[in-house]
Amino acid sequence: MTGTPIPAFAPRTPRWALDPYRFHGVDDLDRQSAAPAVDDADDYALLAPRAERRPSFTLAATDRRRLDLHAALTTTGVAPLPGDLEAIDALSRLDDTTVRSVLRWITSP
């Protein structure tokens, strides 16, 4: 086989690998690509949504309980695994009293 040899280049380190918090001691990063500072004049609070623009429908009780369970798990830092979604669906089909008890168990310190 005849071919042209490929010259050996020094490997380049990707920019993400030079994160100073990931690799301590790397402090010679190019600061030109950093995000610009936000001007305080551009920062403002959003207005509250107008009541007449709210949707006119309500959630079904099962959907409301499912959202409550997801919110409680997320708030406590427990990420549901894919297999847990069936368990959350089964719990959301229970009555309000039972789901309130489960929510209390999840969120109690």
Side-chain angles (χ1 to χ4, degrees), residues 12 23 25 30 38 42 48-49 52 60 77 82 105 109:
R12 290 191 55 174
F23 297 102
D30 179 20
V38 176
D42 293 337
E52 65 270 7
W105 297 339

Side-chain angles (χ1 to χ4, degrees), residues 5-37:
I6 299 174
F9 292 107
R12 290 191 55 174
T13 304
R15 193 166 216 30
W16 59 266
L18 297 177
D19 183 10
Y21 297 106
R22 182 175 175 170
F23 297 102
H24 300 288
V26 177
D27 53 4
D28 58 341
L29 292 176
D30 179 20
R31 300 293 179 194
Q32 299 293 343
S33 64

Side-chain angles (χ1 to χ4, degrees), residues 19-103:
D19 183 10
Y21 297 106
R22 182 175 175 170
F23 297 102
H24 300 288
V26 177
D27 53 4
D28 58 341
L29 292 176
D30 179 20
R31 300 293 179 194
Q32 299 293 343
S33 64
V38 176
D39 186 14
D40 289 337
D42 293 337
D43 194 15
Y44 58 92
L46 295 174
L47 298 174
R50 295 189 315 214
E52 65 270 7
R53 296 192 70 193
R54 287 189 171 195
S56 60
F57 64 90
T58 57
L59 285 176
T62 306
D63 293 333
R64 181 181 44 80
R65 289 189 290 259
R66 183 180 304 111
L67 288 173
D68 288 343
L69 287 165
H70 277 288
L73 288 170
T74 303
T75 302
T76 56
V78 178
L81 298 174
D84 296 341
L85 297 179
E86 289 89 18
I88 292 172
D89 286 337
L91 286 171
S92 66
R93 285 188 228 110
L94 298 173
D95 61 312
D96 281 335
T97 306
T98 307
V99 173
R100 272 196 304 264
S101 297
V102 171
L103 290 172

